[in-house]
Amino acid sequence: MLNQQKMAPNKTTATLFIDKDSWLQRLHPLTKLSYILLTGVAAYGGPSSLLYICLLLFCNAVITASGGLLKDTAKALLRVILPLLLFMIPIHSFLFPGNRTVLLEFHGMIVYQEGLLFAISTLTKLTVVLIASFLFVFSTHPADLITALSHTCRSPSLAYLLGSPLLLLASMRERIETIQAAQRARGLDVDGNMFRRFLSLAPLLLPLVLGAIVEVEQRSIALEVRGFKSTSIKTSLRKLSDSALQRFCRWLMLAIAAVVLLLHGLG
């Protein structure tokens, strides 16, 4: 007998995109790119006070939470910031060139206020930019980004060059997990302490690099077969929603970023 059960379509793709029905997913990719640019300029070109940076951090957190991406963003942010936190705070607290004020002294080890504040300020600025970046990556499908760039710059090669890293990041992660599983099946210990993991890097990196080279060739052949460099008008299955309000907001964010950079350069 034929199986009458309907098979649900497999929506799992090798991307970092998180498919949720929120206003962030519905925004045009260029609008979110403009926001990343504005966030970076505001963080590094605006006032250096910690209160101002914390305000930017709060705004980014509110936007991320309203789009339903706070939990995923927090997990990704923790993996990046925690190693930097454990490294930068001790180094700058002890060895920052501008250290003058002693904050804490314990068994000959002196923690200075200037170095500690500098490390906290640097990490907070980086956190602001990373939250905006993760917001873009998790809420934008790579195909939407490539389509938007193709329509804007009229260059498929440039659009693919800028959009392909979002595809490669997830595929590289899946390939690493596959290689690790294959090496475990062959008896290689890829877990354990840091020394064992360091020794297992060579057997993991070689198939990873070779696989990436092979995939680049396969992608180039697939693009050529599909007429990637053809000058004829192409149609796309993905339709991007854009509006006059979003276009106005993009130009407004770019203008604000330009003004902040100008004031930073003059000040």
Side-chain angles (χ1 to χ4, degrees):
M1 295 178 63
L2 294 177
N3 189 359
Q4 300 294 333
Q5 183 181 5
K6 293 184 178 180
M7 300 296 292
N10 186 11
K11 296 184 179 180
T12 302
T13 57
T15 65
L16 298 177
F17 172 71
I18 299 175
D19 191 4
K20 291 185 177 181
D21 186 16
S22 70
W23 65 275
L24 282 177
Q25 272 78 4
R26 291 190 292 268
L27 282 180
H28 195 275
L30 295 184
T31 304
K32 288 177 274 191
L33 279 178
S34 301
Y35 179 74
I36 292 178
L37 176 62
L38 176 61
T39 301
V41 171
Y44 288 95
S48 57
S49 65
L50 189 59
L51 180 61
Y52 169 76
I53 302 300
C54 289
L55 180 61
L56 292 179
L57 182 63
F58 175 75
C59 292
N60 277 350
V62 170
I63 293 174
T64 306
S66 64
L69 299 173
L70 185 61
K71 182 178 179 180
D72 301 284
T73 303
K75 289 181 180 179
L77 186 65
L78 187 63
R79 297 191 188 102
V80 178
I81 290 297
L82 185 58
L84 295 176
L85 180 70
L86 298 176
F87 174 77
M88 289 183 62
I89 287 185
I91 294 297
H92 289 290
S93 298
F94 300 145
L95 305 176
F96 183 64
N99 282 337
R100 297 291 184 273
T101 307
V102 177
L103 188 62
L104 181 65
E105 185 175 358
F106 182 74
H107 292 286
M109 300 180 65
I110 302 176
V111 177
Y112 291 92
Q113 178 179 343
E114 291 80 5
L116 180 62
L117 291 178
F118 176 79
I120 294 176
S121 176
T122 302
L123 287 172
T124 308
K125 291 179 180 179
L126 181 61
T127 302
V128 170
V129 178
L130 283 176
I131 290 178
S133 302
F134 286 137
L135 184 149
F136 173 78
V137 171
F138 293 152
S139 65
T140 306
H141 197 282
D144 291 338
L145 176 61
I146 295 175
T147 301
L149 293 175
S150 300
H151 293 165
T152 303
C153 60
R154 303 296 179 182
S155 174
S157 300
L158 180 60
Y160 185 78
L161 179 64
L162 297 176
S164 59
L166 295 182
L167 291 170
L168 294 177
L169 285 175
S171 62
M172 291 284 283
R173 182 179 62 183
E174 290 187 355
R175 186 180 296 112
I176 289 175
E177 294 175 354
T178 302
I179 294 173
Q180 285 180 338
Q183 299 291 24
R184 288 192 190 98
R186 296 184 178 96
L188 178 65
D189 187 7
V190 296
D191 299 315
N193 54 36
M194 185 176 296
F195 181 71
R196 287 184 177 179
R197 292 186 179 184
F198 179 76
L199 293 179
S200 64
L201 279 179
L204 292 176
L205 288 178
L206 183 60
L208 178 64
V209 173
L210 293 178
I213 295 175
V214 172
E215 184 177 356
V216 168
E217 182 180 4
Q218 293 175 347
R219 285 177 180 268
S220 63
I221 294 174
L223 291 174
E224 289 296 332
V225 170
R226 295 172 183 174
F228 181 71
K229 292 185 177 181
S230 175
T231 56
S232 59
I233 300 177
K234 301 181 178 66
T235 58
S236 176
L237 294 177
R238 308 187 71 89
K239 300 298 181 182
L240 301 179
S241 61
D242 199 4
S243 62
L245 178 60
Q246 287 198 61
R247 290 191 291 271
F248 172 76
C249 290
R250 289 200 291 269
W251 285 110
L252 180 62
M253 286 187 285
L254 292 177
I256 295 175
V259 171
V260 172
L261 285 177
L262 180 61
L263 294 177
H264 181 72
L266 296 176

